[in-house]
Amino acid sequence: MIVDDQMMVREGFSVLLNAMPDIEVVGEAVNGREAVTKVAELRPDVVLMDIRMPELNGIDATREIVASGTDAKVLVLTTFDLDEYVYQALRAGASGFLLKDASARRLAEGVRVVAAGEALLAPTVTRRLINEFSKLTQTPRVSALSRVGELTERETEVLVLIAQGLSNAEIASHLVVAESTIKTHVSRILVKLGLRDRTQAAVFAYEARLVSPG
């Protein structure tokens, strides 16, 4: 589902995505309030969410959609790669972000990646975002620190590597274990911390100061 207050953006993305054999645009919304309602009705796998919209912005809409318990993943659309609201959107539950000038191929791949439950943030982008907005959390968040204690030593190690941008295969190679073992660790980390995906896990690791910005 595509959410944007600009008709040309909605129509353009809709044409690009519907041209893909494995992607179907099931609906559109012109603001965050309509998006929340339509997600409940249409149950899309992925929501392409603009941030700056009337009535209800993309951040608050993302928060409401995530809180509703839907399986829909939110992919934030932004004009700038360091939009001041992107970090807030990720904390609200978004699974990643794309620039509005992304190519059709990048857009489609982004939808597929997020639909599969993976993060859509390249390690360098994640670090730049956290570094840019680290002033918002100069000290470790108390809630994050308390939840870190629920993880085993190995799970904490895996979480740090996730935040550094390593894939499951790369983490497995680094720790000299089977990739299936890492998948199990990742699943347990997400459950214990109440996180939806690897993007939130990376943000959590930075907020808990398990990884330093930069």
Side-chain angles (χ1 to χ4, degrees), residues 3-6 9 13 16 49-53 76-80 97-103 107:
V3 185
D4 197 293
D5 60 340
Q6 298 181 44
V9 172
F13 283 162
L16 291 174
M49 180 75 74
D50 187 27
I51 292 181
R52 304 177 187 186
M53 296 180 293
V76 172
L77 297 169
T78 179
T79 306
F80 306 104
F97 81 97
L98 273 179
L99 299 183
K100 284 190 174 181
D101 62 357
S103 65
L107 178 64

Side-chain angles (χ1 to χ4, degrees), residues 36-67:
V36 174
T37 300
K38 286 197 171 182
V39 165
E41 295 175 353
L42 302 175
R43 304 178 67 82
D45 296 307
V46 177
V47 179
L48 291 181
M49 180 75 74
D50 187 27
I51 292 181
R52 304 177 187 186
M53 296 180 293
E55 294 194 37
L56 188 68
N57 64 46
I59 296 172
D60 292 334
T62 295
R63 187 175 293 109
E64 288 192 24
I65 288 170
V66 171

